[in-house]
Amino acid sequence: DAGVIQSPRHEVTEMGQEVTLRCKPISGHNSLFWYRQTMMRGLELLIYFNNNVPIDDSGMPEDRFSAKMPNASFSTLKIQPSEPRDSAVYFCASSFSLAGGRGNEQFFGPGTRLTVL
Amino acid sequence: AQTVTQSQPEMSVQEAETVTLSCTYDTSESDYYLFWYKQPPSRQMILVIRQEAYKQQNATENRFSVNFQKAAKSFSLKISDSQLGDAAMYFCAYRGDYGGSQGNLIFGKGTKLSVKP
């Protein structure tokens, strides 16, 4: 298996521009998570989906951030307009769960390093 | 709300020696999972070891083992026979057991481990 795939690996953009980060989860996984890593705040959850439905988006910082999961094999995280404080590494992770079953391991993608100038 | 605390921002160990990384957490739940993730300079998040709270036996994975003290809410990682490749950031993480739905990971701030040759 190719693992969780994220693109791009690096993104440099100017303040005010729209940024779209992409994630392809591991085939067969039904949960997908977006995390952000910064020096100040560490690793924190932005949003997660279960069976393509957003379950918890309380970590999304503000209306400039939006996430979609149109199907089981693709998700996007969009920032519009971007600001310098959005500079961070954004991770996508996926896992598989059965109804009523115990939780399973989350597999992380390689991350996207975003720099907003 | 659950919290995870790693009180050692940096640690150092001599190659072939043993080192222990500390982690404490706070939760009111009785069922949950604890993890240690390794993040080398490549920034890939790699699962090192996991512990289910309902298991009394401490998890082990080759040179990696944990000391899980449920009553004390402590979850330390011991690395035996340290190798140069063990140098990385290590994150302790917590996740509740939500049955069919997947809870997100809550991370500590991390411990940077250096290995001296």
Side-chain angles (χ1 to χ4, degrees), chain A residues 9 35 37 48 101-102 104, chain B residues 33 43 95 97 99 102 105:
Chain A
R9 293 293 307 276
Y35 293 92
Q37 184 177 32
Y48 82 88
R102 292 191 177 270
N104 290 313
Chain B
Y33 296 82
R43 77 169 181 255
R95 194 189 71 223
D97 181 7
Q102 287 290 292
L105 291 167

Side-chain angles (χ1 to χ4, degrees), chain B residues 73-108:
Chain B
K73 297 180 182 176
S74 171
F75 183 61
S76 61
L77 174 70
K78 186 172 80 170
I79 306 174
S80 304
D81 185 25
S82 297
Q83 300 176 359
L84 295 177
D86 295 334
M89 283 290 288
Y90 286 82
F91 293 94
C92 179
Y94 168 101
R95 194 189 71 223
D97 181 7
Y98 298 99
S101 65
Q102 287 290 292
N104 57 287
L105 291 167
I106 299 170
F107 289 92

Side-chain angles (χ1 to χ4, degrees), chain B residues 21-42:
Chain B
L21 308 184
S22 301
C23 173
T24 58
Y25 59 95
D26 189 27
T27 183
S28 58
E29 298 173 325
S30 58
D31 287 334
Y32 48 87
Y33 296 82
L34 296 165
F35 305 84
W36 279 98
Y37 278 88
K38 171 185 178 181
Q39 187 179 41
S42 68

Side-chain angles (χ1 to χ4, degrees), chain A residues 102-103, chain B residues 32-34 50-57 59 68:
Chain A
R102 292 191 177 270
Chain B
Y32 48 87
Y33 296 82
L34 296 165
R50 61 180 278 170
Q51 175 79 45
E52 290 90 338
Y54 66 89
K55 290 185 177 179
Q56 292 186 336
Q57 186 173 5
F68 173 48

Side-chain angles (χ1 to χ4, degrees), chain A residues 36 46 60-67 77-79 86 90:
Chain A
R36 180 172 67 175
L46 297 176
M60 296 286 264
E62 39 196 280
D63 292 345
R64 298 184 298 106
F65 286 68
S66 62
L77 178 67
K78 185 178 293 186
I79 308 172
D86 301 330
Y90 291 81

Side-chain angles (χ1 to χ4, degrees), chain A residues 37-44, chain B residues 4-9 23 39 89-93 106-112:
Chain A
Q37 184 177 32
T38 62
M39 289 295 292
M40 289 292 292
R41 300 175 65 89
L43 277 154
E44 53 184 350
Chain B
V4 177
T5 302
Q6 292 179 251
S7 59
Q8 306 153 316
C23 173
Q39 187 179 41
M89 283 290 288
Y90 286 82
F91 293 94
C92 179
I106 299 170
F107 289 92
K109 294 294 186 185
T111 296
K112 183 177 182 179

